[in-house]
Each structure stands twice: as structure tokens, then as C-alpha cells.
Amino acid sequence: MKIYSGANTGYAERMTGVRMLDDPVQRTAIYSLLLNIFLVGAKLVLSELSGSLSLRADAIHSMVDVLASLALIVGLVISTRKSENFPYGLYKVENVVSVAISILLFLSAYEIVMAALRGEQIFLAYSGWQLLAVMALVPIPFIFGRYQIRIGERFGSPSMIADGAQHQADVLTHQLYS
């Protein structure tokens, strides 16, 4: 695998014409989508089994992450397309996608601050298996977010870096819901 560097070439300029699954950034974006779909399903199942409304709310929050992953994939695909008007490709689209993902990150931060300021916590008794299942879900987005940031930095993809930061921030919102 070639490591790309250089300030003059961005991800989209280098990856024009590369098949989606052959491109490590686009492949990681697909993994991001699959991970978010898995997290939505796991949180919905856990909320049904436990009766936890907070897990259901967290699953709904994760559905927004699915939309962010879809936006990431679409942005990456569009950014590598070339046309007569844009012979170097539409690489600026990736910057727009990274701004949109950053806005989601700021909304997550706002959500954290508002939940902390409200201070409305109701403590429910959870069984051991429920706590273990929720605890098992917590590190997954953080670890994957670190991986995304590394891939984004390695290949010069600002939207991948933004999505990785958003995954890491999800760990904080998950803790608020759980």
C-alpha cells in the first residue's frame, strides 16, 4: 500500500478513477456505514430487551450517524469524478462533506452540554448482562474513529478525519444516554 503525502495533491486528485473497494478511504467509509448500522441495530435490540428509553434515544442518535456515513460515501465518490469543466475532479466536494460532518460533531457537543446542564438523571437498575452489553459497545466507535483519523491523515482526506472525530465524540454521547 502506497502512503501518499504532499501538500499539492489531495485525496480526490490522487484517487480519480480508482474502484471503490480498491480505495482504502472509500472502503473505510463503507466500514463506517456498516458499523453505524450495526450500532443502531444493537442499541435497538438492547433497548427492547431492557426497556431502556435512553438506549432507544441513543439508537435514534446513531441513525443520524448512518446518514453522516452515507454523506461521506457520496462525497468521496463525487469528489473523485472528473468533467470537462473540472479536469482535476470535484475534490472540493469532500471539503463540503467534512464541514457537514463537523456540524454534526458540534451538534453532538451541544447535546452533551445541554444534557449536562439539565442534570435530569434517573437511575434505573440494570441487570449484569445489560451493563456488559452496553459496556462492550462503548469502545467500538472510539477505536474505529482513531482508525478513520489515521486513514484520513495517511491519504489526505479531510472528510474521513472529520468522520473519525465524530465517531470518537459519539462515545461521550453514548455515555450520557446509557
Side-chain angles (χ1 to χ4, degrees):
M1 178 182 301
K2 184 176 180 183
I3 298 175
Y4 297 98
S5 62
N8 294 334
T9 57
Y11 158 75
E13 293 168 309
R14 289 188 307 271
M15 293 300 170
T16 301
V18 175
R19 289 179 357 142
M20 182 176 271
L21 292 178
D22 291 337
D23 173 13
V25 175
Q26 291 183 15
R27 188 173 49 242
T28 304
I30 292 170
Y31 295 158
S32 176
L33 175 64
L34 295 174
L35 173 66
N36 285 325
I37 290 171
F38 165 76
L39 290 172
V40 168
K43 291 172 186 178
L44 284 175
V45 167
L46 285 172
S47 74
E48 278 298 313
L49 294 174
S50 67
S52 171
L53 293 177
S54 64
L55 276 174
R56 182 172 300 274
D58 197 22
I60 292 168
H61 174 85
S62 292
M63 286 182 198
V64 174
D65 296 339
V66 170
L67 296 176
S69 291
L70 287 171
L72 174 64
I73 291 169
V74 169
L76 290 172
V77 169
I78 291 173
S79 72
T80 59
R81 296 215 172 151
K82 287 187 174 185
S83 72
E84 285 183 22
N85 295 333
F86 301 99
Y88 295 110
L90 300 168
Y91 61 92
K92 293 292 183 186
V93 170
E94 188 181 2
N95 293 332
V96 172
V97 170
S98 67
V99 168
I101 293 170
S102 296
I103 289 170
L104 287 174
L105 181 60
F106 283 114
L107 290 175
S108 294
Y110 174 78
E111 186 178 314
I112 292 167
V113 169
M114 293 310 294
L117 290 176
R118 274 187 248 123
E120 301 170 10
Q121 291 187 348
I122 300 172
F123 295 101
L124 299 174
Y126 286 102
S127 68
W129 72 268
Q130 292 167 337
L131 289 174
L132 287 174
V134 170
M135 285 173 42
L137 291 178
V138 170
I140 294 171
F142 185 82
I143 293 167
F144 186 73
R146 286 183 53 89
Y147 171 72
Q148 283 184 294
I149 290 170
R150 276 198 325 267
I151 292 292
E153 288 172 347
R154 177 183 245 179
F155 294 98
S157 174
S159 59
M160 182 60 63
I161 293 168
D163 197 47
Q166 198 269 337
H167 266 111
Q168 289 183 319
D170 274 354
V171 172
L172 297 174
T173 59
H174 183 76
Q175 291 302 318
L176 286 175
Y177 287 123
S178 299

